[in-house]
Amino acid sequence: MAGWKSEALFKKSKEIMPGGVNSPVRAFRAVNQNPVFIERAKGSKIYDVDGSEYTDYVCSWGPGILGHADSRVIEAVKKACNNGLTFGAPTEKEYVLASIIQELVPSMEMLRLVNSGTEAVMSAIRAARGFTGRDKIIKFRGCYHGHSDGLLVKAGSGALTQSVPDSLGVPEGCTESTLVAEYNDILSVKSLFKKYGSGIAAVIVEPVAANMGVVPPVPGFLEGLREITKQYKSILIFDEVITGFRLAKGGAQEYFGIVPDITVLGKIAGGGMPLAVYGGRRDIMEMVAPLGGVYQAGTLSGNPVAVTAGIETLKILKDDNDIYNKIEENTTKIRLAAEKAFGSSVCVSQAGSLMSVFFTEEKVTDYVTAVSSDTEKYAMYFDYMLKNRIYIAPSQFEAMFISAAHTDEDIERTCYIIKQAAELLKSYMGMC
Ligand SMILES: *Cc1c(COP(=O)(O)O)cnc(C)c1O
C-alpha cells in the first residue's frame, strides 16, 4: 500500500508523465494499485518516500544481481564521475569491459556497447539482416525484446504467421517481416522455415523466457533452434538481456551449452547504469560500421560512468565462485515453499535465480498456458506480499529476481509470508 507521500507524488507525476511513470509496468496497473515511490536502496532492501522498508525481489527488473548500491561499484562510479561524464571518444575502459564480456561469453568474438536492451536487439537484428541479405525474422509469442517497431508483435489469434502490431503507431509495414512461433514448440518453427526458409535472416529467442513470467526451455527446444538455423544458414540470436550474467557467468548459453551466433546483453551488464551490448560471430560483426555497411551509432554509447559500473559488477561476478550456487539455492528454497504452500493450485517455475508463481493449475510452457493464470489471484498475492514489506513484480507476467544480497533471514521470512499468503488466498478465494 502506497503511503501518503507516494500518493501525492503519483498524483503530481500523472499530470506531467503518461501514467505518472517512465515505463508502463511501474504504474502497478495490473494489480489495481498505485505505485510506491522509492527514495533509496541498499543491499536486499528498498525504502519508499514514506519510510517503509521492503525486501526487494524486483531488483530493478534484473540488473541488481549484487543487490542495491554495492559499495565497490558505487566507489568506482564516484571516481569515474570525477573524471568527466562523457567524452564521445574511445576510452581504455570500453576495451576493459569488452574484454571481460568476451572472456565470460566467448561466443561474442566482437561486440559493441549501446545504451539499452531495446537498442541492442534492434542493432543485432539489423546486423543479421545485413549479413544474410534476408528480411524475415522469427520471434516467439510472449517473448519481449524491447519496444522497437518490428518486435512489438505477437500472433493474431490462431494465425501464427499473421503479424499484427501490438502497439498503435507501428505501421503494418514494420512488422510484416516478423514471423511469430510458439515458445517451446520446435514444430511451429520448422513449419515457418519450410515455408519461408531461404528468406529468414534470424531467429531471436529469450533462452529462458522471462517476460511472460519465467518459462524455461523444454529439453531439445534450444538445440532444435540451433540445428534448424544452421541448416537454413539463418542467424540464431539469444536475447540474454535477462539471462546474461544471471543464470551463469556465461549466461544461458553456458547454462544450457548452446552457442548462438549473436548475443544481446543488458540489465546486469551495466551494473545498474544504462548500458547494453550486442555481439557475436566475427564475420557478422565485421558488417557493422565503420568496418561494414550496417549502420549503428550512439552519442552516449560506451559512456565512461556506465562502463565503470559494468566493469566493477562483472569483475565481482567473475571472481566469485559462490554467487551463482547461492542465489540458485535461495531461489529453490522460495520455489519449494511456494509449491508446498499453494499445492497444485499454482505452477511455480524456476531457472537459476529467476522464478514465477503462476496462478494456474496448468503446467506453464508457453504463452497460452502462461496467460491461463488468474491475474486477480496474483493481485491479491501481490497485495499481501507488499503489505508485509516484500516487494515483488506488480504483474503476473514478470520474473522474481533473487540477488546475492538476500540474506538467509530474508529468504526465511519470504517463505513464511508466502505460506501465510497461501492460507489467506485459500480461505478467501476458495483455492484448494
Ligand atoms: C528488458 C529487456 C529488453 C529491453 O531492454 P531495455 O533496456 O528495457 O530496452 C530486451 N530483451 C529482454 C529479454 C528484456 O528482458
Side-chain angles (χ1 to χ4, degrees):
M1 281 282 268
W4 70 265
K5 272 192 191 168
S6 279
E7 294 289 0
L9 285 170
F10 189 49
K11 192 159 176 242
K12 287 198 278 190
S13 297
K14 277 193 291 188
E15 280 168 26
I16 197 164
M17 289 174 280
V21 292
N22 284 306
S23 196
V25 75
R26 296 180 196 170
F28 279 33
R29 287 196 162 205
V31 290
N32 295 314
Q33 294 208 23
N34 290 341
V36 291
F37 277 57
I38 304 303
E39 191 166 79
R40 67 194 167 88
K42 184 74 186 168
S44 63
K45 302 288 190 279
I46 53 170
Y47 301 85
D48 72 13
V49 289
D50 291 285
S52 294
E53 175 190 282
Y54 305 84
T55 303
D56 179 25
Y57 291 103
V58 177
C59 292
S60 191
W61 308 92
I65 191 164
L66 300 176
H68 293 282
D70 184 284
S71 56
R72 296 161 288 186
V73 179
I74 298 291
E75 284 315 309
V77 164
K78 279 183 184 164
K79 249 196 201 155
C81 287
N82 288 336
N83 288 334
L85 297 180
T86 173
F87 318 123
T91 58
E92 184 177 0
K93 280 190 174 165
E94 290 164 81
Y95 169 75
V96 172
L97 179 59
S99 306
I100 297 173
I101 293 169
Q102 216 255 318
E103 186 189 335
L104 295 176
V105 191
S107 72
M108 300 176 85
E109 295 169 353
M110 278 187 121
L111 57 88
R112 186 159 268 179
L113 306 180
V114 296
N115 304 291
S116 72
T118 296
E119 191 189 352
V121 166
M122 191 181 80
S123 310
I125 284 173
R126 186 176 299 154
R129 283 175 167 155
F131 180 77
T132 56
R134 303 171 180 178
D135 285 346
K136 290 198 189 318
I137 57 164
I138 295 178
K139 80 171 284 285
F140 294 90
R141 187 143 66 130
C143 281
Y144 179 68
H145 303 292
H147 64 90
S148 66
D149 283 348
L151 288 159
L152 282 181
V153 181
K154 62 184 180 211
S157 57
L160 289 185
T161 56
Q162 207 110 75
S163 299
V164 185
D166 278 346
S167 166
L168 293 177
V170 177
E172 262 170 46
C174 288
T175 57
E176 66 188 14
S177 298
T178 309
L179 307 170
V180 181
E182 292 297 324
Y183 196 77
N184 275 335
D185 178 0
I186 199 70
L187 290 179
S188 71
V189 181
K190 282 189 176 154
S191 70
L192 288 175
F193 268 100
K194 235 185 197 156
K195 204 161 171 195
Y196 304 104
S198 61
I200 297 173
V203 174
I204 183 163
V205 67
E206 290 181 74
V208 171
N211 284 287
M212 49 176 154
V214 174
V215 183
V218 296
F221 177 60
L222 297 176
E223 289 84 348
L225 295 181
R226 183 60 283 184
E227 214 168 275
I228 197 163
T229 45
K230 267 218 172 103
Q231 186 188 335
Y232 284 89
K233 294 190 162 49
S234 275
I235 305 303
L236 179 60
I237 304 174
F238 274 8
D239 180 345
E240 296 224 42
V241 171
I242 283 185
T243 55
F245 311 118
R246 170 147 307 264
L247 289 192
K249 290 178 192 181
Q253 53 197 274
E254 178 187 319
Y255 197 81
F256 296 111
I258 311 283
V259 181
D261 301 303
I262 297 181
T263 301
V264 182
L265 301 167
K267 299 194 169 115
I268 291 173
M273 301 285 290
L275 186 148
V277 192
Y278 74 102
R281 269 167 47 191
R282 183 174 297 278
D283 55 347
I284 302 172
M285 290 306 289
E286 280 178 346
M287 298 292 292
V288 176
L291 274 189
V294 173
Y295 193 71
Q296 181 265 309
T299 302
L300 292 173
S301 289
N303 174 268
V305 184
V307 165
T308 301
I311 290 173
E312 293 308 312
T313 302
L314 297 191
K315 264 198 206 157
I316 293 167
L317 294 174
K318 185 162 89 86
D319 296 339
D320 190 322
N321 288 316
D322 290 334
I323 283 186
Y324 290 96
N325 285 335
K326 179 185 155 195
I327 56 179
E328 179 156 354
E329 270 169 29
N330 278 341
T331 309
T332 302
K333 280 184 192 159
I334 299 176
R335 172 174 60 79
L336 292 174
E339 281 174 353
K340 188 164 172 223
F342 285 104
S344 62
S345 58
V346 299
C347 171
V348 190
S349 63
Q350 180 190 358
S353 58
L354 302 167
M355 66 165 275
S356 283
V357 181
F358 291 102
F359 286 82
T360 176
E361 292 183 11
E362 291 197 48
K363 173 138 186 58
V364 175
T365 57
D366 58 9
Y367 179 78
V368 173
T369 42
V371 298
S372 73
S373 301
D374 185 334
T375 52
E376 268 178 42
K377 282 181 185 153
Y378 185 85
M380 274 193 75
Y381 171 64
F382 169 87
D383 182 63
Y384 189 81
M385 299 298 276
L386 193 70
K387 278 197 182 113
N388 285 280
R389 305 287 181 244
I390 292 175
Y391 188 85
I392 59 172
S395 161
Q396 170 74 85
F397 305 110
E398 305 286 352
M400 181 171 185
F401 294 92
I402 285 72
S403 82
H406 287 109
T407 61
D408 292 348
E409 198 189 341
D410 288 332
I411 302 296
E412 235 168 75
R413 180 165 180 277
T414 301
C415 292
Y416 175 71
I417 300 296
I418 288 175
K419 185 166 163 254
Q420 287 193 325
E423 275 161 22
L424 186 88
L425 260 88
K426 280 178 193 169
S427 58
Y428 283 89
M429 301 196 63
M431 287 177 75
C432 52

